[in-house]
């Protein structure tokens, strides 16, 4: 989810900077596709001198970061751009500049709030708080993954809340993590909270003393800084690796990427979480069920589909992989009964519960039904390797008593021995030795 969100957010931020890079005076688009359409429609109105300034800025930033990674290339590019713009009057030649930046710091003021104002603001305030925290923590985790740091969500929540309380006293915008600003900060080498303190102090000094110097800064240079910073956040290698390792993770990544790109950052995050939870529920509702066979020459039992094993048509050893609960109770019951129906010579079923970590009432009831069905068909049922918490549930529900004394075992070998099957050769009863034939293989 974070990889898909990061890539899509980087593209959204990058698209928002294409307009100043090309010198297009267009309103902020309402959607990614709308922005692309506006740019394509107005390509005939691009400003070529602005494009030249943008190109020089992008090239200088890209090569500077690669050749001199510790040098503040962005700051140098800003300084050079301001000087060149002032010397050649590039503002008069159509290159958009920042212009006058108000100086000074805002004064502290206690907001006056009446009940009617609070009633009007609370719904929007809760929405802003939720979106701000969600977006901020997502960006923080995306950056932490790159720097191999650990995020404390509760501390982030406290920090954002404190920052917004302070912002309210200074008539500021709501405070949240900004993707483009975070990317620029990361590219500049920031790794700890000290970088934010230095940034805040520098911004304060700049507002007090340096605002006249920014008058001739081209907007294209600021756009170039952001574009170069976010370009490295589109991680194709990570996306390929995630999709290759597990298909469902690739689906969550793609859903998050497309939703963020087409519907917006907030909806994209929510969509990614919903899809991930949906896939998790689906996987847990259809857990892996493996039939086991004995690896020749050993007493080890493995999945017959993955290993070359010895089996017997009269015995089925089944391993249930995952917790048994209401979402998968019917699925597991159907799988076990389908196995029984497909084996006409089946005489014994052994269920390996070593991977079952949880059992609820619905699954317990399904196991009762399976045992009843096997009894009606004249098939013995044995249970092995039951974990303590699961065994306690089975004891309280009466399932252990229903299985029967002497049919709950510590391992598969003991279960086979109790059922009358030998491990010395193929899995068959000693009395069936002569009639087993080649069908065992």
């Amino acid at each position: 989810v974070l990889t898909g969100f990061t890539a899509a957010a980087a593209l959204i931020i990058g698209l928002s900077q294409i307009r100043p890079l090309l010198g297009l005076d267009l309103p902020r688009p309402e959607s990614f596709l709308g922005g692309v359409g506006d740019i394509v429609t107005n390509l005939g109105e691009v400003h070529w001198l602005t494009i030249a300034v943008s190109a020089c800025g992008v090239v200088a930033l890209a090569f500077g970061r690669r050749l001199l990674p510790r040098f503040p290339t962005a700051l140098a590019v800003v300084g050079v751009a301001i000087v060149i713009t002032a010397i050649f009057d590039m503002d008069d030649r159509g290159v958009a500049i920042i212009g006058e930046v108000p100086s000074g710091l805002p004064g502290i003021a206690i907001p006056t709030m009446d009940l009617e104002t609070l009633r009007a603001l609370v719904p929007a305030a809760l929405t802003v708080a939720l979106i701000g925290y969600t977006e901020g923590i997502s960006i923080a985790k995306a950056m932490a993954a790159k720097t191999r740091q650990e995020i404390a969500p509760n501390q982030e929540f406290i920090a954002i809340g404190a920052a917004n309380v302070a912002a309210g006293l200074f008539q500021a915008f709501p405070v949240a993590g900004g993707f483009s600003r975070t990317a620029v900060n990361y590219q500049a080498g920031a790794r700890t909270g000290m970088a934010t303190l230095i940034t805040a102090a520098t911004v304060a000094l700049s507002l007090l003393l340096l605002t006249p110097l920014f008058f001739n800064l081209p907007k294209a240079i600021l756009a170039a800084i952001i574009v170069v910073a976010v370009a490295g956040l589109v991680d194709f290698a990570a996306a390929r690796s995630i999709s290759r390792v597990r298909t469902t993770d690739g689906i969550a990544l793609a859903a998050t990427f497309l939703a963020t790109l087409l519907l917006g950052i907030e909806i994209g995050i929510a969509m990614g979480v919903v899809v991930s939870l949906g896939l998790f529920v689906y996987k847990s509702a259809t857990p892996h069920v493996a039939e086991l066979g004995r690896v020749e020459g050993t007493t080890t039992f493995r999945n017959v589909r993955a290993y070359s094993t010895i089996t017997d048509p009269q015995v089925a050893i089944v391993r249930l992989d995952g917790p048994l609960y209401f979402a998968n109770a019917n699925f597991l019951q159907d799988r076990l009964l389908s196995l029984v129906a497909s084996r006409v010579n089946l005489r014994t079923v052994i269920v390996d519960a070593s991977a079952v970590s949880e059992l609820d009432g619905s699954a317990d009831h399904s196991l009762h039904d399976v045992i009843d069905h096997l009894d009606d068909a004249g098939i013995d049922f044995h249970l092995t390797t039951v974990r303590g918490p699961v065994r306690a549930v089975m004891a309280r529900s009466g399932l252990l008593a229903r299985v029967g004394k002497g049919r709950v075992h510590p391992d598969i070998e003991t279960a086979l021995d109790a059922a009358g099957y030998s491990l010395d050769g193929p899995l068959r009863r000693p009395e069936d030795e002569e009639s087993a034939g080649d069908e065992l293989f």
Side-chain angles (χ1 to χ4, degrees):
V1 170
L2 285 176
T3 301
F5 160 74
T6 302
L11 290 179
I12 292 172
I13 297 298
L15 177 70
S16 71
Q17 303 306 312
I18 296 297
R19 296 168 296 154
L21 285 176
L22 300 180
L24 295 174
D25 186 14
L26 298 173
R28 176 183 287 273
E30 295 184 1
S31 66
F32 182 83
L33 294 180
V36 172
D38 290 344
I39 292 171
V40 172
T41 303
N42 293 276
L43 281 178
E45 301 177 13
V46 298
H47 190 260
W48 292 103
L49 182 57
T50 300
I51 292 177
V53 172
S54 303
C56 291
V58 169
V59 171
L61 289 165
F63 278 94
R65 188 176 64 181
R66 176 172 297 182
L67 300 177
L68 301 169
R70 293 189 174 276
F71 183 75
T73 305
L75 187 60
V77 169
V78 167
V80 171
I82 290 174
V83 172
I84 292 177
T85 302
I87 292 175
F88 293 99
D89 295 322
M90 296 178 71
D91 179 25
D92 296 334
R93 299 171 185 268
V95 176
I97 60 174
I98 295 297
E100 183 177 354
V101 179
S103 61
L105 298 174
I108 188 170
I110 305 297
T112 55
M113 285 288 181
D114 54 54
L115 186 60
E116 194 62 33
T117 303
L118 284 173
R119 187 180 295 119
L121 288 180
V122 163
L126 290 175
T127 303
V128 169
L130 177 61
I131 291 174
Y133 175 72
T134 303
E135 189 172 342
I137 198 67
S138 298
I139 294 167
K141 287 188 175 182
M143 293 297 106
K146 292 182 175 295
T147 58
R148 299 187 180 184
Q149 293 178 315
E150 188 174 349
I151 297 297
N154 289 337
Q155 293 301 112
E156 295 289 329
F157 190 80
I158 294 171
I160 292 175
N164 276 289
V165 170
L169 299 177
F170 289 92
Q171 306 155 57
F173 285 109
V175 177
F179 201 93
S180 58
R181 296 184 297 278
T182 302
V184 171
N185 213 25
Y186 174 75
Q187 293 294 344
R191 294 296 181 270
T192 71
M194 183 59 69
T196 305
L197 295 179
I198 294 174
T199 300
T202 304
V203 169
L205 289 174
S206 298
L207 287 173
L208 290 172
L209 306 173
L210 304 178
T211 53
L213 298 179
F214 294 107
F215 185 89
N216 289 304
L217 175 60
K219 292 182 179 179
I221 292 298
L222 290 179
I225 292 172
I226 293 174
V227 167
V228 171
V230 301
L233 298 178
V234 182
D235 196 340
F236 293 105
R240 285 194 299 269
S241 175
I242 289 170
S243 301
R244 184 172 60 250
V245 170
R246 196 176 185 189
T247 303
T248 52
D249 289 343
I251 293 173
L253 186 154
T256 307
F257 175 80
L258 292 174
T260 303
L261 200 63
L262 301 178
L263 303 176
I265 287 177
E266 295 80 14
I267 296 178
I269 295 173
M271 181 69 75
V273 172
V274 169
V275 170
S276 295
L277 289 175
L279 291 171
F280 170 77
V281 171
Y282 171 77
K283 292 291 289 184
S284 66
T286 56
H288 182 250
V289 179
E291 184 177 359
L292 306 182
R294 182 173 63 80
V295 178
E296 189 171 6
T298 72
T299 57
T300 302
F301 292 83
R302 292 289 185 264
N303 189 341
V304 297
R305 294 182 179 274
Y307 293 84
S308 177
T309 61
I310 300 173
T311 60
D312 189 319
Q314 297 183 4
V315 59
I317 307 170
V318 180
R319 188 185 68 222
L320 307 180
D321 295 338
L324 306 186
Y325 69 118
F326 65 91
N328 60 28
N330 288 335
F331 172 81
L332 292 169
Q333 181 177 347
D334 291 343
R335 288 296 300 271
L336 290 172
L337 296 183
S338 295
L339 175 65
V340 171
S342 65
R343 303 276 283 274
V344 293
N345 296 322
L346 192 65
R347 297 164 67 174
T348 301
V349 171
I350 299 173
V351 171
D352 176 8
S354 59
V356 178
S357 58
E358 187 177 351
L359 179 72
D360 75 354
S362 297
D364 182 86
H365 182 75
S366 292
L367 288 176
H368 271 91
D369 288 344
V370 169
I371 296 172
D372 290 341
H373 184 93
L374 295 180
D375 279 350
D376 292 341
I379 298 173
D380 292 338
F381 180 84
H382 293 258
L383 198 57
T384 79
T385 328
V386 184
R387 297 186 180 186
V390 177
R391 180 186 288 269
V393 174
M394 290 181 174
R396 290 195 297 270
S397 71
L399 182 61
L400 290 182
R402 178 68 185 82
V403 173
K405 188 176 181 180
R407 297 195 177 191
V408 180
H409 313 282
D411 51 53
I412 296 175
E413 295 91 330
T414 306
L416 285 170
D417 184 64
Y421 290 88
S422 171
L423 287 176
D424 296 333
L427 296 180
R428 58 179 179 267
R429 294 176 187 264
E431 60 268 25
D432 297 331
E433 191 81 25
E434 296 180 359
S435 62
D438 294 336
E439 65 180 354
L440 296 177
F441 303 92

